[in-house]
């Protein structure tokens, strides 16, 4: 287990965490995971996440490739929420709505970064204080994110925080995975297995409605394993409304895990998390022609599993809540195991 660090731009540092047959590359800018390099069934080491060839392109990225997202991942309708009888207005950065923490969200912060290492792991600690009023959020939030590569080749993201005032918080990471190792091969044949039994319905603006739909007998039923193609090619109204594919929050029934396999490479990824669900996004809206590692971008080149608690809970109190009380310790963790 070892690490490397190199300055890639003014104040930007790229870290490489190196384990046995695995490398994790990340930036202090946005906490962006720029590469994850793991072997295929023949031992060929290839990158399995989407990332820009030129690191500077992350500055103008509107697809949040590999980035930390916060304070709250997802969409908040009309960029406002009620708390303790008060209405808080957030910055509207997608029409009149709030997306992924706003323009000054975690994805564009230069995080204070520090490498840590012991006999079991090597990692990067990222720290940032989101000041009261940042994009309209109340209270100061002291965020600490740990990227940890363990000896057993698992990669864990731990999110810790404490707020000075009652607020809302639901960070995530926006990696786009393509386990084939070749972004010219779209993610249609990736097989996902997870026990989620409900999804949050979205409207034509991709905003969550207050409805949770059962997955039974729909392209969202991954309980016995299903290729992503089933939702991309489906005429189910919820697949069509998001641009033919997935862009939905799925709630775990019992096991907080997502199994992903890619038949050509033989790569498998098991994601386990403390979160109650995740946004499955099949890159339906990934624009064409961005200069990525492995070639120009196009739709369906990667798939996101944005583990988080959903801000739909602000309107639907039956869902796990994104609310965080002042001085209450926040901790969530997601682990990625490549086999
Ligand atoms: C699109 O609707 C999707 C989001 O879910 C995604 O996070 C974003 O692209 C990058 O807006």
């Amino acid at each position: 287990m070892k690490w490397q660090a190199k300055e890639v731009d003014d104040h930007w540092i790229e870290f490489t965490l190196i384990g046995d047959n695995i490398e994790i590359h990340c930036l202090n800018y946005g906490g962006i995971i720029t590469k994850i390099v793991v072997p295929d069934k023949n031992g060929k080491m290839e990158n399995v996440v989407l990332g820009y060839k030129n690191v500077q392109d992350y500055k103008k990225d509107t697809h949040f490739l590999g980035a930390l997202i916060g304070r709250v991942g997802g969409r908040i309708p009309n960029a406002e929420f009620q708390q303790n009888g008060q209405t808080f207005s957030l910055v509207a950065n997608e029409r009149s709505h709030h997306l992924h923490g706003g323009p000054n969200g975690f994805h564009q912060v230069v995080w204070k970064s520090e490498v840590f290492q012991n006999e079991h792991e090597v990692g990067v600690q990222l720290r940032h204080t989101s000041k009261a009023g940042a994009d309209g959020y109340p209270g100061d939030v002291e965020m600490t994110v740990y990227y940890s590569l363990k000896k057993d080749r698992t990669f864990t993201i731990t999110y810790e925080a404490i707020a000075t005032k009652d607020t809302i918080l639901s960070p995530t990471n926006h990696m786009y995975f393509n386990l084939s190792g070749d972004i010219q091969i779209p993610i249609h044949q990736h097989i996902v297995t997870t026990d989620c039994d409900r999804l949050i319905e979205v409207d034509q603006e991709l905003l969550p409605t207050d409805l949770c739909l059962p997955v039974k007998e729909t392209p969202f039923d991954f309980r016995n394993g299903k290729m992503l193609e089933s939702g991309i090619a489906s005429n189910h109204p919820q697949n069509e409304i998001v641009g033919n594919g997935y862009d939905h929050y799925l709630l775990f029934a019992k096991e907080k895990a997502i199994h992903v396999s890619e038949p050509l490479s033989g790569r498998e990824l098991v994601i386990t998390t403390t979160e109650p669900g995740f946004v499955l996004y099949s890159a339906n809206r990934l624009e064409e022609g961005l200069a990525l590692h492995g070639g120009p971008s196009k739709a369906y080149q990667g798939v996101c599993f944005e583990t988080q608690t959903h801000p739909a809970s602000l309107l639907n109190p039956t869902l796990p809540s994104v609310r965080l009380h002042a001085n209450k310790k926040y901790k969530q963790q997601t682990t990625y195991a490549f086999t």
Side-chain angles (χ1 to χ4, degrees), residues 16 24 76 121 125 155 161 246 274:
T16 304
I24 310 283
I76 298 179
E121 64 186 333
Q125 177 201 59
F155 174 55
Y246 299 95
T274 55

Side-chain angles (χ1 to χ4, degrees), residues 69-73 98 100-102 105-106 130-134 137-141 163 167-172:
I69 302 292
R71 291 193 192 182
V72 174
H98 181 81
H100 286 345
F106 293 175
S130 172
K131 299 302 280 178
Y137 288 97
D140 292 356
V141 173
T167 189
I168 57 176
L169 184 66
S170 181
T172 188

Side-chain angles (χ1 to χ4, degrees), residues 62-64 75 94 100 174 176 206 247 281 285 306:
T62 58
H63 301 278
F64 305 91
R75 288 178 171 84
E94 188 181 69
H100 286 345
H174 211 294
Y176 291 69
L206 305 176
D247 195 349
Y281 175 50
R285 294 165 187 270
E306 300 155 56

Side-chain angles (χ1 to χ4, degrees), residues 13 36 162 204 231 270:
I13 304 166
I36 294 183
I162 192 146
Q204 66 288 347
V270 178

